[in-house]
Amino acid sequence: MATKSILKDVNIKDKRLAHTFVESLSQIERVKYKPIKITRECTEITGDKIKEFFGKK
């Protein structure tokens, strides 16, 4: 995710939408993080390897 989208100012002028937004944030805060176990090997690819990976030559 781009940093610019995280730091963007949001102006909510409708009181109902503002309430819904705050309620959503409150619900998210109560969600527990579930750790996962990665079962597949991860490899970093760059440059031409990306094109090769997706079948573009």
Side-chain angles (χ1 to χ4, degrees):
M1 178 182 261
T3 306
K4 203 170 201 178
S5 63
I6 295 172
L7 301 175
K8 187 173 260 186
D9 290 340
V10 177
N11 295 320
I12 303 174
K13 297 177 182 176
D14 185 342
K15 190 173 183 176
R16 184 176 53 85
L17 291 176
H19 177 75
T20 302
F21 180 70
V22 171
E23 186 62 32
S24 297
L25 291 177
S26 296
Q27 287 176 4
I28 290 169
E29 192 175 47
R30 291 188 290 263
V31 174
K32 297 288 183 191
Y33 169 75
K34 295 178 184 176
I36 61 167
K37 183 177 180 182
I38 298 175
T39 59
R40 296 181 185 186
E41 184 180 333
C42 179
T43 307
E44 186 173 332
I45 58 174
T46 58
D48 291 336
K49 297 276 186 186
I50 294 172
K51 291 178 182 176
E52 193 177 302
F53 179 81
F54 286 106
K56 303 280 182 176
K57 295 191 180 192

